[in-house]
Coordinates of all heavy atoms in Angstrom, one line a residue:
Chain A
L47 N 83.7 90.3 101.2 CA 83.3 89.3 102.2 C 84.2 89.6 103.4 O 85.5 89.5 103.3 CB 83.6 87.9 101.6 CG 83.5 86.7 102.5 CD1 82.0 86.6 103.1 CD2 83.8 85.4 101.9
L63 N 96.0 82.2 107.9 CA 95.7 83.4 107.0 C 96.6 83.3 105.8 O 96.2 83.5 104.7 CB 96.0 84.6 107.7 CG 94.9 85.4 108.2 CD1 95.3 86.7 109.0 CD2 94.0 85.8 107.0
L66 N 95.3 80.8 103.5 CA 94.1 81.2 102.8 C 94.4 82.2 101.8 O 93.7 82.3 100.7 CB 93.1 81.8 103.8 CG 92.5 80.8 104.7 CD1 91.7 81.4 106.0 CD2 91.4 79.9 104.0
L67 N 95.4 83.2 102.2 CA 95.7 84.2 101.0 C 96.2 83.5 99.8 O 95.9 83.8 98.7 CB 96.8 85.1 101.7 CG 96.4 86.0 102.7 CD1 97.7 86.9 103.1 CD2 95.3 87.0 102.2
S68 N 97.0 82.4 99.9 CA 97.6 81.8 98.8 C 96.5 81.2 98.0 O 96.4 81.4 96.7 CB 98.6 80.7 99.2 OG 99.7 81.2 99.9
A69 N 95.6 80.6 98.6 CA 94.5 80.0 97.9 C 93.6 80.9 97.1 O 93.2 80.8 96.0 CB 93.6 79.1 98.8
L70 N 93.4 82.0 97.9 CA 92.5 83.1 97.3 C 93.2 83.8 96.1 O 92.6 84.1 95.1 CB 92.1 84.2 98.3 CG 91.0 83.7 99.3 CD1 90.9 84.5 100.5 CD2 89.6 83.7 98.6
R71 N 94.6 84.0 96.3 CA 95.3 84.6 95.1 C 95.3 83.8 93.9 O 95.3 84.2 92.8 CB 96.7 84.9 95.7 CG 96.9 86.0 96.7 CD 96.2 87.3 96.2 NE 97.1 87.9 95.1 CZ 96.7 88.6 94.1 NH1 95.4 88.7 93.8 NH2 97.4 89.1 93.1
R72 N 95.4 82.4 94.2 CA 95.3 81.6 93.0 C 94.1 81.6 92.3 O 93.9 81.5 91.1 CB 95.6 80.1 93.4 CG 97.1 79.7 93.7 CD 97.2 78.2 93.6 NE 96.6 77.6 94.8 CZ 97.1 77.5 96.0 NH1 98.4 77.9 96.2 NH2 96.5 77.0 97.0
G74 N 92.5 84.3 91.8 CA 92.4 85.7 91.3 C 91.8 86.7 92.2 O 91.4 87.8 91.6
K75 N 91.6 86.5 93.5 CA 90.9 87.4 94.4 C 91.9 88.4 94.9 O 93.1 88.0 95.2 CB 90.3 86.7 95.5 CG 89.2 85.7 95.0 CD 87.9 86.3 94.9 CE 86.9 85.4 94.3 NZ 85.9 84.6 94.7
R76 N 91.5 89.6 95.1 CA 92.2 90.5 95.8 C 91.9 90.5 97.2 O 90.7 90.4 97.6 CB 92.0 92.0 95.2 CG 92.6 92.1 93.8 CD 92.3 93.5 93.3 NE 93.1 94.6 93.9 CZ 92.5 95.5 94.6 NH1 91.2 95.7 94.6 NH2 93.2 96.4 95.1
V77 N 92.9 90.5 98.2 CA 92.7 90.2 99.5 C 93.3 91.1 100.5 O 94.5 91.6 100.2 CB 93.2 88.7 99.9 CG1 92.6 88.3 101.3 CG2 92.9 87.8 98.8
A78 N 92.6 91.6 101.5 CA 93.2 92.4 102.5 C 93.2 91.8 103.9 O 92.3 90.9 104.2 CB 92.5 93.7 102.6
V79 N 94.1 92.2 104.7 CA 94.2 91.6 106.1 C 94.3 92.7 107.1 O 95.2 93.6 106.9 CB 95.4 90.6 106.3 CG1 95.5 90.1 107.8 CG2 95.2 89.4 105.4
L80 N 93.4 92.8 108.1 CA 93.7 93.7 109.2 C 94.1 92.9 110.4 O 93.2 92.2 110.9 CB 92.5 94.6 109.5 CG 92.7 95.7 110.6 CD1 93.6 96.7 110.1 CD2 91.4 96.1 110.9
D106 N 103.2 91.5 97.0 CA 102.2 91.1 96.1 C 101.1 92.2 96.0 O 100.5 92.6 97.0 CB 101.6 89.9 96.5 CG 100.2 89.4 95.7 OD1 99.8 90.2 94.8 OD2 99.8 88.3 95.7
S107 N 100.9 92.9 94.9 CA 99.9 94.0 94.8 C 98.5 93.7 95.1 O 97.7 94.6 95.3 CB 100.1 94.8 93.4 OG 99.7 94.0 92.4
G108 N 98.2 92.4 95.0 CA 96.8 92.0 95.2 C 96.5 91.7 96.7 O 95.4 91.2 97.0
V109 N 97.6 91.9 97.5 CA 97.4 91.6 99.0 C 97.7 92.9 99.7 O 98.9 93.4 99.5 CB 98.3 90.4 99.4 CG1 98.2 90.2 100.9 CG2 98.0 89.1 98.6
F110 N 96.9 93.3 100.6 CA 97.2 94.5 101.5 C 97.0 93.9 102.9 O 96.1 93.4 103.4 CB 96.1 95.5 101.2 CG 96.5 96.9 101.9 CD1 96.9 97.9 101.0 CD2 96.2 97.0 103.2 CE1 97.3 99.1 101.6 CE2 96.5 98.3 103.7 CZ 97.1 99.3 102.9
V111 N 98.3 94.1 103.6 CA 98.2 93.7 105.0 C 98.6 94.9 105.8 O 99.4 95.6 105.8 CB 99.3 92.6 105.3 CG1 99.4 92.2 106.8 CG2 99.1 91.3 104.6
L134 N 88.9 99.1 103.7 CA 89.5 98.1 102.9 C 88.3 97.6 101.9 O 88.6 97.2 100.8 CB 90.1 97.0 103.7 CG 91.4 97.5 104.5 CD1 91.6 96.4 105.6 CD2 92.5 97.6 103.6
G138 N 87.8 97.9 97.4 CA 87.5 97.0 96.3 C 88.2 95.6 96.6 O 88.2 94.8 95.7
F139 N 88.6 95.3 97.8 CA 89.2 94.0 98.0 C 87.9 93.0 98.1 O 87.0 93.3 98.6 CB 90.0 93.9 99.3 CG 91.3 94.7 99.2 CD1 91.4 95.9 99.7 CD2 92.2 94.1 98.6 CE1 92.6 96.6 99.6 CE2 93.6 94.7 98.4 CZ 93.7 96.0 99.0
D140 N 88.2 91.8 97.4 CA 87.2 90.8 97.5 C 86.9 90.2 98.8 O 85.7 90.0 99.2 CB 87.5 89.7 96.4 CG 87.7 90.2 95.0 OD1 86.7 90.7 94.5 OD2 88.8 90.1 94.5
V141 N 88.0 90.0 99.5 CA 87.8 89.4 100.9 C 88.7 90.3 101.9 O 89.8 90.6 101.5 CB 88.4 87.9 100.9 CG1 88.2 87.3 102.1 CG2 87.7 87.1 99.7
V142 N 88.2 90.6 102.9 CA 88.8 91.2 104.0 C 88.9 90.4 105.3 O 87.8 90.1 105.8 CB 88.3 92.7 104.3 CG1 89.1 93.4 105.4 CG2 88.2 93.5 103.0
F143 N 90.1 90.1 105.8 CA 90.2 89.3 107.0 C 90.5 90.3 108.2 O 91.2 91.1 108.0 CB 91.4 88.3 106.9 CG 91.1 87.1 106.1 CD1 91.6 87.1 104.7 CD2 90.3 86.0 106.3 CE1 91.4 86.1 103.8 CE2 90.1 85.0 105.5 CZ 90.6 85.0 104.2
Chain K
Q53 N 102.1 100.0 103.0 CA 100.8 99.5 103.5 C 100.5 99.9 105.0 O 99.5 100.2 105.5 CB 100.6 98.1 103.3 CG 100.7 97.7 101.9 CD 100.4 96.2 101.6 OE1 100.5 95.4 102.5 NE2 100.0 95.8 100.3

Side-chain angles (χ1 to χ4, degrees):
Chain A
L47 174 63
L63 255 179
L66 287 169
L67 287 184
S68 299
L70 285 162
R71 289 301 290 145
R72 275 196 298 274
K75 302 269 172 100
R76 294 178 65 237
V77 194
V79 175
L80 184 70
D106 174 352
S107 63
V109 175
F110 191 103
V111 178
L134 295 166
F139 290 100
D140 299 299
V141 183
V142 180
F143 288 100
Chain K
Q53 296 185 347

